Coordinates of all heavy atoms in Angstrom, one line a residue:
M1 N 10.4 -84.1 13.4 CA 9.5 -83.5 12.4 C 10.1 -82.2 11.9 O 10.6 -81.4 12.7 CB 8.1 -83.3 13.1 CG 7.0 -83.0 12.1 SD 5.4 -82.8 12.8 CE 4.8 -84.5 12.6
S2 N 10.0 -81.9 10.6 CA 10.6 -80.7 10.1 C 9.7 -79.5 10.3 O 8.6 -79.6 10.7 CB 10.8 -80.9 8.6 OG 9.5 -80.8 7.9
D3 N 10.3 -78.3 10.1 CA 9.6 -77.1 10.3 C 8.4 -77.0 9.3 O 7.3 -76.6 9.7 CB 10.5 -75.9 10.0 CG 11.5 -75.7 11.1 OD1 11.4 -76.2 12.2 OD2 12.5 -75.0 10.8
I4 N 8.5 -77.5 8.1 CA 7.4 -77.5 7.2 C 6.3 -78.4 7.7 O 5.1 -78.0 7.7 CB 7.9 -77.9 5.8 CG1 8.8 -76.9 5.2 CG2 6.7 -78.2 4.8 CD1 9.4 -77.3 3.8
Q5 N 6.6 -79.6 8.1 CA 5.6 -80.5 8.7 C 4.9 -79.9 9.9 O 3.7 -80.0 10.0 CB 6.2 -81.9 9.0 CG 6.7 -82.7 7.8 CD 7.4 -83.9 8.2 OE1 8.3 -83.9 9.1 NE2 7.2 -85.0 7.5
D6 N 5.6 -79.3 10.7 CA 5.0 -78.6 11.9 C 4.0 -77.5 11.4 O 2.9 -77.4 12.0 CB 6.1 -78.0 12.8 CG 6.9 -79.0 13.5 OD1 6.5 -80.1 13.6 OD2 8.0 -78.6 14.0
L7 N 4.5 -76.7 10.5 CA 3.6 -75.6 10.0 C 2.4 -76.2 9.3 O 1.3 -75.7 9.4 CB 4.4 -74.7 9.1 CG 5.4 -73.8 9.8 CD1 6.3 -73.1 8.8 CD2 4.7 -72.8 10.6
V8 N 2.6 -77.2 8.5 CA 1.4 -77.8 7.8 C 0.4 -78.4 8.8 O -0.8 -78.2 8.6 CB 1.9 -78.9 6.8 CG1 0.7 -79.7 6.2 CG2 2.6 -78.2 5.6
G9 N 0.9 -79.0 9.8 CA 0.0 -79.6 10.9 C -0.7 -78.4 11.6 O -1.9 -78.5 11.8
R10 N 0.0 -77.4 11.9 CA -0.7 -76.2 12.5 C -1.7 -75.6 11.6 O -2.8 -75.2 12.0 CB 0.3 -75.2 13.0 CG -0.3 -74.0 13.7 CD 0.6 -73.2 14.5 NE 1.5 -72.4 13.5 CZ 2.5 -71.7 13.9 NH1 2.8 -71.6 15.2 NH2 3.2 -71.1 13.0
Q11 N -1.4 -75.6 10.3 CA -2.3 -75.0 9.3 C -3.6 -75.8 9.2 O -4.7 -75.3 9.2 CB -1.6 -75.0 7.9 CG -2.3 -74.3 6.8 CD -1.5 -74.4 5.5 OE1 -0.9 -75.4 5.2 NE2 -1.5 -73.3 4.8
Q12 N -3.4 -77.2 9.3 CA -4.6 -78.0 9.3 C -5.5 -77.8 10.6 O -6.7 -77.7 10.5 CB -4.2 -79.5 9.3 CG -3.7 -79.9 7.9 CD -3.2 -81.3 7.9 OE1 -3.3 -82.0 8.9 NE2 -2.7 -81.8 6.8
M13 N -4.8 -77.6 11.7 CA -5.5 -77.3 13.0 C -6.3 -76.0 12.9 O -7.4 -75.9 13.2 CB -4.5 -77.2 14.1 CG -3.9 -78.6 14.5 SD -2.6 -78.5 15.8 CE -3.4 -77.7 17.1
V14 N -5.6 -74.9 12.4 CA -6.2 -73.6 12.4 C -7.4 -73.6 11.4 O -8.4 -73.1 11.6 CB -5.2 -72.5 12.0 CG1 -5.8 -71.2 11.8 CG2 -4.1 -72.4 13.2
S15 N -7.2 -74.3 10.2 CA -8.3 -74.4 9.2 C -9.5 -75.1 9.8 O -10.6 -74.7 9.6 CB -7.8 -75.2 8.0 OG -6.8 -74.5 7.3
A16 N -9.2 -76.1 10.6 CA -10.4 -76.8 11.2 C -11.1 -75.9 12.2 O -12.3 -75.9 12.3 CB -9.8 -78.1 11.9
M17 N -10.3 -75.2 13.0 CA -11.0 -74.3 14.0 C -11.8 -73.2 13.3 O -12.8 -72.8 13.8 CB -9.9 -73.7 15.0 CG -9.3 -74.8 15.9 SD -8.3 -74.1 17.2 CE -6.9 -73.5 16.3
I18 N -11.2 -72.6 12.2 CA -12.0 -71.6 11.5 C -13.3 -72.2 10.9 O -14.3 -71.6 11.0 CB -11.1 -71.0 10.4 CG1 -10.0 -70.2 11.0 CG2 -12.0 -70.2 9.4 CD1 -9.0 -69.7 10.0
Y19 N -13.2 -73.4 10.4 CA -14.3 -74.1 9.8 C -15.4 -74.3 10.9 O -16.6 -74.0 10.7 CB -14.0 -75.5 9.3 CG -15.2 -76.2 8.8 CD1 -15.6 -76.1 7.5 CD2 -15.9 -77.1 9.6 CE1 -16.8 -76.7 7.0 CE2 -17.1 -77.7 9.2 CZ -17.5 -77.5 7.9 OH -18.6 -78.1 7.5
A20 N -15.0 -74.7 12.1 CA -15.9 -74.9 13.2 C -16.6 -73.6 13.6 O -17.8 -73.6 13.9 CB -15.2 -75.6 14.4
A21 N -15.8 -72.6 13.7 CA -16.3 -71.3 14.2 C -17.3 -70.7 13.1 O -18.3 -70.1 13.5 CB -15.2 -70.3 14.4
E22 N -17.0 -71.0 11.9 CA -17.9 -70.4 10.8 C -19.1 -71.3 10.6 O -20.1 -70.9 9.9 CB -17.1 -70.2 9.5 CG -16.1 -69.1 9.6 CD -15.3 -68.9 8.4 OE1 -15.2 -69.8 7.5 OE2 -14.7 -67.8 8.2
N23 N -19.1 -72.6 11.0 CA -20.1 -73.5 10.9 C -20.6 -74.1 12.2 O -20.8 -75.3 12.3 CB -19.7 -74.7 9.9 CG -19.3 -74.1 8.5 OD1 -20.2 -73.9 7.7 ND2 -18.1 -73.9 8.3
A24 N -20.6 -73.3 13.2 CA -20.9 -73.7 14.6 C -22.2 -74.5 14.7 O -22.2 -75.6 15.4 CB -20.9 -72.5 15.5
A25 N -23.2 -74.1 14.1 CA -24.5 -74.7 14.2 C -24.4 -76.2 13.7 O -25.0 -77.1 14.3 CB -25.6 -74.0 13.4
Q26 N -23.8 -76.4 12.5 CA -23.6 -77.7 11.9 C -22.8 -78.6 12.9 O -23.2 -79.7 13.1 CB -23.0 -77.6 10.6 CG -22.8 -79.0 9.9 CD -22.0 -78.9 8.6 OE1 -21.3 -77.9 8.4 NE2 -22.1 -80.0 7.8
V27 N -21.7 -78.1 13.4 CA -20.8 -78.8 14.2 C -21.6 -79.2 15.5 O -21.5 -80.4 15.9 CB -19.5 -78.0 14.6 CG1 -18.7 -78.7 15.7 CG2 -18.7 -77.9 13.3
I28 N -22.3 -78.3 16.1 CA -23.0 -78.6 17.3 C -24.1 -79.6 17.1 O -24.4 -80.5 17.9 CB -23.5 -77.3 18.0 CG1 -22.3 -76.5 18.5 CG2 -24.5 -77.6 19.1 CD1 -22.7 -75.1 18.9
E29 N -24.8 -79.4 16.0 CA -25.9 -80.4 15.6 C -25.3 -81.8 15.5 O -25.9 -82.8 16.1 CB -26.5 -80.0 14.3 CG -27.6 -81.0 13.8 CD -28.8 -81.0 14.6 OE1 -29.1 -80.0 15.3 OE2 -29.6 -82.0 14.5
I30 N -24.2 -82.0 14.8 CA -23.6 -83.3 14.7 C -23.2 -83.9 16.0 O -23.5 -85.0 16.3 CB -22.4 -83.2 13.7 CG1 -22.9 -83.0 12.3 CG2 -21.6 -84.5 13.8 CD1 -21.8 -82.6 11.3
C31 N -22.6 -83.1 16.8 CA -22.1 -83.5 18.2 C -23.3 -83.8 19.1 O -23.3 -84.8 19.8 CB -21.2 -82.5 18.8 SG -19.7 -82.3 17.9
S32 N -24.3 -83.0 19.1 CA -25.4 -83.1 20.0 C -26.4 -84.2 19.7 O -27.1 -84.7 20.5 CB -26.2 -81.8 20.2 OG -26.8 -81.4 19.0
T33 N -26.4 -84.6 18.4 CA -27.3 -85.7 18.0 C -26.6 -87.1 18.0 O -27.2 -88.1 17.6 CB -27.9 -85.4 16.7 OG1 -26.9 -85.3 15.7 CG2 -28.8 -84.2 16.7
S34 N -25.4 -87.1 18.4 CA -24.7 -88.4 18.4 C -24.7 -89.0 19.8 O -24.4 -88.3 20.8 CB -23.2 -88.2 17.9 OG -22.5 -89.4 17.9
S35 N -25.0 -90.3 19.8 CA -24.9 -91.0 21.1 C -23.7 -91.8 21.2 O -23.6 -92.7 22.1 CB -26.2 -91.8 21.3 OG -26.2 -92.8 20.2
A36 N -22.7 -91.6 20.4 CA -21.5 -92.4 20.3 C -20.4 -91.9 21.2 O -20.6 -90.8 21.8 CB -21.1 -92.5 18.8
T37 N -19.3 -92.6 21.1 CA -18.1 -92.1 21.9 C -17.4 -91.0 21.1 O -17.8 -90.7 20.0 CB -17.1 -93.3 22.0 OG1 -16.7 -93.6 20.6 CG2 -17.7 -94.5 22.6
G38 N -16.5 -90.4 21.8 CA -15.7 -89.3 21.2 C -15.1 -89.6 19.8 O -15.1 -88.9 18.9
E39 N -14.5 -90.8 19.7 CA -13.9 -91.3 18.5 C -14.9 -91.4 17.4 O -14.7 -91.0 16.3 CB -13.2 -92.6 18.7 CG -12.4 -93.1 17.5 CD -11.7 -94.4 17.9 OE1 -10.9 -94.4 18.9 OE2 -11.9 -95.4 17.1
S40 N -16.1 -91.9 17.7 CA -17.2 -92.1 16.7 C -17.7 -90.7 16.3 O -18.0 -90.5 15.1 CB -18.3 -92.9 17.2 OG -17.8 -94.2 17.5
I41 N -17.8 -89.8 17.2 CA -18.3 -88.5 16.9 C -17.3 -87.8 16.0 O -17.7 -87.1 15.0 CB -18.5 -87.6 18.2 CG1 -19.6 -88.2 19.0 CG2 -18.8 -86.2 17.8 CD1 -19.7 -87.6 20.4
A42 N -16.0 -88.0 16.2 CA -15.0 -87.4 15.4 C -15.1 -88.0 13.9 O -15.0 -87.2 13.0 CB -13.6 -87.7 15.9
R43 N -15.3 -89.2 13.8 CA -15.5 -89.9 12.5 C -16.7 -89.3 11.8 O -16.7 -89.0 10.6 CB -15.6 -91.4 12.6 CG -14.7 -92.1 11.7 CD -14.7 -93.6 11.8 NE -14.0 -94.1 13.0 CZ -14.5 -94.7 14.1 NH1 -15.8 -95.0 14.1 NH2 -13.8 -95.0 15.1
R44 N -17.8 -89.2 12.5 CA -19.0 -88.7 12.0 C -18.9 -87.2 11.6 O -19.3 -86.8 10.5 CB -20.2 -88.8 13.0 CG -21.5 -88.4 12.5 CD -22.6 -88.9 13.5 NE -23.8 -88.2 13.1 CZ -24.7 -87.7 13.9 NH1 -24.5 -87.6 15.2 NH2 -25.8 -87.1 13.4
L45 N -18.2 -86.4 12.4 CA -17.9 -85.0 12.1 C -17.0 -84.9 10.8 O -17.3 -84.1 9.9 CB -17.3 -84.3 13.3 CG -17.0 -82.8 13.2 CD1 -18.3 -82.1 13.0 CD2 -16.3 -82.4 14.5
A46 N -16.0 -85.7 10.8 CA -15.1 -85.7 9.6 C -15.9 -86.1 8.3 O -15.7 -85.4 7.3 CB -14.0 -86.7 9.8
D47 N -16.7 -87.1 8.4 CA -17.4 -87.5 7.2 C -18.4 -86.5 6.7 O -18.5 -86.2 5.6 CB -18.2 -88.8 7.5 CG -17.2 -90.0 7.6 OD1 -16.0 -89.9 7.2 OD2 -17.7 -91.1 8.2
A48 N -19.1 -85.9 7.7 CA -20.2 -84.9 7.4 C -19.6 -83.6 6.8 O -20.3 -82.9 6.0 CB -21.1 -84.7 8.6
C49 N -18.4 -83.2 7.3 CA -17.9 -81.9 7.0 C -16.7 -82.0 6.0 O -16.1 -80.9 5.7 CB -17.5 -81.2 8.2 SG -18.8 -81.0 9.4
G50 N -16.3 -83.1 5.6 CA -15.2 -83.3 4.6 C -13.9 -82.9 5.3 O -13.0 -82.3 4.7
L51 N -13.7 -83.3 6.5 CA -12.5 -83.0 7.3 C -11.7 -84.3 7.5 O -12.3 -85.4 7.4 CB -12.9 -82.5 8.7 CG -13.7 -81.2 8.7 CD1 -14.3 -80.9 10.1 CD2 -12.8 -80.0 8.2
T52 N -10.5 -84.2 7.9 CA -9.7 -85.4 8.4 C -10.2 -85.7 9.8 O -10.7 -84.8 10.5 CB -8.2 -85.2 8.3 OG1 -7.9 -84.1 9.3 CG2 -7.8 -84.7 6.9
E53 N -9.9 -86.9 10.2 CA -10.2 -87.2 11.6 C -9.3 -86.4 12.6 O -9.8 -86.0 13.7 CB -10.0 -88.7 11.9 CG -11.2 -89.5 11.3 CD -11.3 -90.9 11.9 OE1 -11.0 -91.2 13.1 OE2 -11.6 -91.8 11.0
F54 N -8.1 -86.1 12.2 CA -7.3 -85.2 13.0 C -8.0 -83.8 13.1 O -8.1 -83.3 14.3 CB -5.9 -85.0 12.3 CG -5.1 -83.9 12.9 CD1 -4.5 -84.1 14.1 CD2 -4.9 -82.7 12.3 CE1 -3.7 -83.1 14.7 CE2 -4.1 -81.7 12.8 CZ -3.5 -81.9 14.1
Q55 N -8.5 -83.3 12.0 CA -9.2 -82.0 12.1 C -10.5 -82.1 13.0 O -10.8 -81.2 13.7 CB -9.5 -81.5 10.7 CG -8.3 -81.0 10.0 CD -8.6 -80.6 8.5 OE1 -9.3 -81.3 7.8 NE2 -8.2 -79.4 8.1
A56 N -11.2 -83.2 12.9 CA -12.4 -83.4 13.7 C -12.0 -83.4 15.2 O -12.7 -82.8 16.0 CB -13.1 -84.6 13.3
D57 N -10.9 -84.1 15.5 CA -10.5 -84.1 16.9 C -10.1 -82.7 17.4 O -10.4 -82.4 18.5 CB -9.3 -85.1 17.0 CG -9.6 -86.5 17.0 OD1 -10.8 -86.9 17.3 OD2 -8.8 -87.3 16.6
V58 N -9.5 -81.9 16.5 CA -9.1 -80.6 16.9 C -10.4 -79.8 17.2 O -10.5 -79.1 18.2 CB -8.3 -79.9 15.7 CG1 -8.2 -78.4 16.0 CG2 -6.9 -80.5 15.6
I59 N -11.4 -79.9 16.4 CA -12.7 -79.2 16.6 C -13.3 -79.7 17.9 O -13.8 -78.9 18.7 CB -13.6 -79.5 15.4 CG1 -13.1 -78.7 14.2 CG2 -15.1 -79.0 15.8 CD1 -13.9 -79.0 12.9
L60 N -13.3 -81.0 18.2 CA -13.9 -81.5 19.4 C -13.1 -81.0 20.7 O -13.7 -80.9 21.7 CB -14.0 -83.0 19.4 CG -14.9 -83.6 18.4 CD1 -14.8 -85.1 18.3 CD2 -16.3 -83.2 18.6
D61 N -11.9 -80.7 20.5 CA -11.1 -80.2 21.6 C -11.1 -78.7 21.8 O -10.5 -78.1 22.7 CB -9.6 -80.7 21.5 CG -9.5 -82.2 21.7 OD1 -10.4 -82.8 22.3 OD2 -8.5 -82.7 21.3
M62 N -11.8 -78.0 20.8 CA -11.8 -76.5 20.9 C -12.5 -75.9 22.1 O -13.4 -76.5 22.6 CB -12.6 -76.0 19.6 CG -11.8 -75.9 18.4 SD -12.8 -75.2 17.0 CE -12.9 -73.5 17.5
Q63 N -12.0 -74.8 22.5 CA -12.7 -74.0 23.5 C -13.7 -73.1 22.8 O -13.4 -72.5 21.7 CB -11.7 -73.2 24.3 CG -10.7 -74.0 25.0 CD -9.6 -73.2 25.7 OE1 -9.4 -72.0 25.4 NE2 -8.9 -73.8 26.6
V64 N -14.8 -72.9 23.4 CA -15.9 -72.0 22.9 C -15.4 -70.6 22.6 O -15.8 -69.9 21.7 CB -17.1 -72.0 23.8 CG1 -18.2 -71.1 23.2 CG2 -17.7 -73.5 23.9
K65 N -14.4 -70.1 23.4 CA -14.0 -68.7 23.2 C -13.4 -68.5 21.8 O -13.3 -67.4 21.3 CB -13.0 -68.3 24.3 CG -11.6 -69.1 24.2 CD -10.7 -68.7 25.4 CE -9.4 -69.4 25.3 NZ -8.6 -69.1 26.4
R66 N -13.0 -69.6 21.1 CA -12.4 -69.5 19.8 C -13.5 -69.2 18.7 O -13.2 -69.0 17.6 CB -11.7 -70.8 19.4 CG -10.6 -71.2 20.3 CD -9.3 -71.1 19.5 NE -8.2 -71.5 20.3 CZ -7.0 -71.1 20.1 NH1 -6.8 -70.2 19.2 NH2 -6.0 -71.5 20.8
F67 N -14.7 -69.1 19.1 CA -15.8 -68.8 18.2 C -16.1 -67.3 18.1 O -16.9 -66.9 17.3 CB -17.1 -69.5 18.6 CG -17.1 -71.0 18.4 CD1 -16.2 -71.9 19.0 CD2 -18.1 -71.6 17.6 CE1 -16.2 -73.2 18.7 CE2 -18.1 -73.0 17.3 CZ -17.1 -73.8 17.9
S68 N -15.4 -66.5 18.8 CA -15.6 -65.1 18.8 C -15.0 -64.5 17.5 O -14.0 -65.0 16.9 CB -15.0 -64.4 20.0 OG -13.6 -64.4 19.8
P69 N -15.6 -63.4 17.0 CA -15.0 -62.8 15.8 C -13.6 -62.4 15.9 O -12.8 -62.6 14.9 CB -15.9 -61.5 15.6 CG -17.2 -61.9 16.3 CD -16.8 -62.7 17.5
L70 N -13.1 -61.9 17.1 CA -11.7 -61.6 17.2 C -10.8 -62.8 17.1 O -9.8 -62.8 16.5 CB -11.5 -60.9 18.6 CG -10.0 -60.5 18.9 CD1 -9.5 -59.6 17.8 CD2 -9.9 -59.9 20.3
A71 N -11.3 -63.9 17.8 CA -10.5 -65.1 17.7 C -10.4 -65.7 16.3 O -9.3 -66.1 15.8 CB -11.1 -66.2 18.6
I72 N -11.5 -65.6 15.5 CA -11.5 -66.0 14.1 C -10.5 -65.2 13.3 O -9.7 -65.7 12.5 CB -12.9 -65.9 13.5 CG1 -13.8 -67.0 14.2 CG2 -12.9 -66.2 12.0 CD1 -15.3 -66.8 13.9
A73 N -10.5 -63.8 13.5 CA -9.6 -63.0 12.8 C -8.1 -63.3 13.1 O -7.3 -63.3 12.3 CB -9.9 -61.5 13.2
E74 N -7.9 -63.6 14.4 CA -6.5 -64.0 14.8 C -6.1 -65.3 14.2 O -5.0 -65.5 13.7 CB -6.4 -64.1 16.3 CG -6.5 -62.8 17.0 CD -6.6 -62.9 18.5 OE1 -6.9 -64.0 19.1 OE2 -6.5 -61.8 19.2
M75 N -7.0 -66.3 14.1 CA -6.7 -67.6 13.4 C -6.5 -67.4 11.9 O -5.6 -68.0 11.4 CB -7.9 -68.6 13.7 CG -8.0 -69.1 15.1 SD -9.2 -70.4 15.4 CE -10.7 -69.4 15.3
R76 N -7.3 -66.5 11.3 CA -7.0 -66.2 9.9 C -5.7 -65.6 9.6 O -5.0 -66.0 8.7 CB -8.1 -65.3 9.3 CG -9.4 -66.0 9.1 CD -10.4 -65.0 8.4 NE -11.7 -65.6 8.2 CZ -12.0 -66.6 7.4 NH1 -11.1 -67.2 6.7 NH2 -13.2 -67.1 7.4
A77 N -5.3 -64.7 10.5 CA -3.9 -64.1 10.4 C -2.9 -65.1 10.6 O -1.8 -65.1 9.9 CB -3.8 -63.0 11.4
Q78 N -3.1 -66.0 11.5 CA -2.1 -67.1 11.8 C -2.0 -68.0 10.6 O -0.9 -68.4 10.2 CB -2.5 -68.0 13.0 CG -1.5 -69.1 13.4 CD -0.2 -68.5 13.8 OE1 -0.2 -67.7 14.8 NE2 0.9 -68.9 13.2
L79 N -3.1 -68.3 9.9 CA -3.1 -69.2 8.7 C -2.3 -68.5 7.6 O -1.5 -69.2 7.0 CB -4.6 -69.4 8.3 CG -4.9 -70.5 7.4 CD1 -4.4 -71.9 7.9 CD2 -6.3 -70.6 7.1
V80 N -2.5 -67.2 7.4 CA -1.8 -66.5 6.3 C -0.3 -66.5 6.7 O 0.6 -66.8 5.8 CB -2.3 -65.1 6.2 CG1 -1.4 -64.3 5.3 CG2 -3.7 -65.1 5.6
E81 N 0.1 -66.3 7.9 CA 1.5 -66.2 8.3 C 2.1 -67.6 8.1 O 3.2 -67.7 7.6 CB 1.6 -65.8 9.8 CG 3.0 -65.8 10.3 CD 3.0 -65.4 11.8 OE1 2.2 -64.6 12.2 OE2 3.9 -65.9 12.5
D82 N 1.4 -68.7 8.5 CA 1.9 -70.0 8.3 C 2.1 -70.4 6.8 O 3.1 -71.0 6.4 CB 1.0 -71.1 9.0 CG 1.1 -71.0 10.5 OD1 1.9 -70.3 11.0 OD2 0.2 -71.7 11.1
E83 N 1.1 -69.9 6.0 CA 1.3 -70.2 4.5 C 2.5 -69.5 4.0 O 3.2 -70.1 3.2 CB 0.0 -69.7 3.8 CG -1.2 -70.5 4.1 CD -2.5 -69.9 3.5 OE1 -2.5 -68.8 3.1 OE2 -3.5 -70.6 3.6
H84 N 2.8 -68.3 4.4 CA 4.0 -67.6 4.0 C 5.3 -68.3 4.4 O 6.2 -68.5 3.7 CB 4.0 -66.1 4.4 CG 3.1 -65.3 3.7 ND1 1.9 -64.7 4.2 CD2 3.0 -64.9 2.4 CE1 1.3 -64.0 3.3 NE2 1.9 -64.1 2.2
K85 N 5.3 -68.8 5.7 CA 6.4 -69.5 6.2 C 6.7 -70.8 5.5 O 7.8 -71.1 5.2 CB 6.3 -69.7 7.7 CG 6.4 -68.5 8.6 CD 6.2 -68.9 10.0 CE 6.3 -67.7 10.9 NZ 6.1 -68.0 12.3
I86 N 5.6 -71.5 5.2 CA 5.7 -72.8 4.4 C 6.3 -72.5 3.1 O 7.2 -73.2 2.6 CB 4.4 -73.5 4.4 CG1 3.9 -74.0 5.7 CG2 4.4 -74.6 3.3 CD1 2.5 -74.5 5.8
A87 N 5.8 -71.5 2.4 CA 6.3 -71.2 1.1 C 7.8 -70.8 1.1 O 8.6 -71.2 0.3 CB 5.5 -70.0 0.5
E88 N 8.2 -70.0 2.1 CA 9.6 -69.7 2.3 C 10.5 -70.9 2.5 O 11.6 -71.0 1.9 CB 9.8 -68.7 3.4 CG 9.3 -67.3 3.1 CD 9.4 -66.4 4.4 OE1 10.0 -66.7 5.4 OE2 8.8 -65.3 4.3
L89 N 10.1 -71.7 3.4 CA 10.8 -72.9 3.7 C 10.9 -73.9 2.6 O 12.0 -74.5 2.3 CB 10.2 -73.7 5.0 CG 10.4 -73.0 6.3 CD1 9.5 -73.6 7.4 CD2 11.8 -73.0 6.7
R90 N 9.9 -74.0 1.8 CA 9.9 -74.9 0.6 C 10.9 -74.3 -0.4 O 11.6 -75.0 -1.1 CB 8.5 -75.1 0.1 CG 7.7 -76.0 0.9 CD 6.4 -76.4 0.3 NE 5.7 -77.4 1.1 CZ 4.4 -77.5 1.2 NH1 3.6 -76.7 0.6 NH2 3.9 -78.5 2.0
A91 N 10.8 -73.0 -0.6 CA 11.7 -72.3 -1.6 C 13.2 -72.5 -1.1 O 14.0 -72.7 -2.0 CB 11.3 -70.8 -1.7
D92 N 13.4 -72.3 0.2 CA 14.8 -72.5 0.7 C 15.3 -73.9 0.5 O 16.4 -74.2 0.1 CB 14.9 -72.1 2.2 CG 14.7 -70.6 2.4 OD1 14.8 -69.8 1.4 OD2 14.5 -70.3 3.6
S93 N 14.4 -74.9 0.7 CA 14.8 -76.3 0.6 C 15.0 -76.7 -0.9 O 15.7 -77.7 -1.2 CB 13.9 -77.2 1.3 OG 12.6 -77.2 0.7
A94 N 14.3 -76.0 -1.8 CA 14.5 -76.3 -3.2 C 15.7 -75.8 -3.8 O 16.2 -76.3 -4.8 CB 13.2 -75.8 -4.0
S95 N 16.3 -74.8 -3.2 CA 17.6 -74.2 -3.7 C 18.8 -74.8 -3.2 O 18.9 -75.6 -2.4 CB 17.6 -72.7 -3.5 OG 17.3 -72.3 -2.2

């Protein structure tokens, strides 16, 4: 997998975690009202929130400590850093 693909994957993960932290009540409601398996919950979460199943799986695997304001700020900083790295790598590969 290339550096760009790795960064894009991480970007999707971080975006999903930020979404979950900022929409915790909705995520918990979806999970707590489902009597289905983990895979079905992921599908339901993805459909309800406009996420990919990969992102829904990331959310289901999250630790609650990621919901703190400091953790959210750190994830936002990581997202910005990854966006810059992706842009640099794409510019380098285009030249």
Side-chain angles (χ1 to χ4, degrees):
M1 194 176 263
S2 74
D3 290 341
I4 292 175
Q5 289 172 321
D6 289 344
L7 288 168
V8 169
R10 185 167 66 188
Q11 189 178 39
Q12 290 176 0
M13 290 173 58
V14 173
S15 294
M17 290 188 293
I18 291 170
Y19 178 88
E22 291 178 342
N23 298 280
Q26 178 187 19
V27 170
I28 291 169
E29 175 71 19
I30 291 167
C31 294
S32 67
T33 59
S34 181
S35 60
T37 64
E39 186 176 305
S40 297
I41 295 171
R43 229 178 285 116
R44 188 169 168 223
L45 185 60
D47 291 344
C49 301
L51 302 166
T52 65
E53 284 195 40
F54 170 73
Q55 288 175 312
D57 285 334
V58 167
I59 290 170
L60 293 175
D61 291 339
M62 276 180 74
Q63 297 173 344
V64 176
K65 68 182 181 182
R66 298 246 185 210
F67 286 60
S68 74
L70 178 59
I72 294 169
E74 290 171 349
M75 288 186 287
R76 286 190 183 287
Q78 183 66 56
L79 196 57
V80 169
E81 182 180 325
D82 289 349
E83 288 170 355
H84 286 112
K85 286 179 184 177
I86 290 168
E88 286 175 13
L89 289 169
R90 285 185 174 151
D92 289 346
S93 67
S95 52

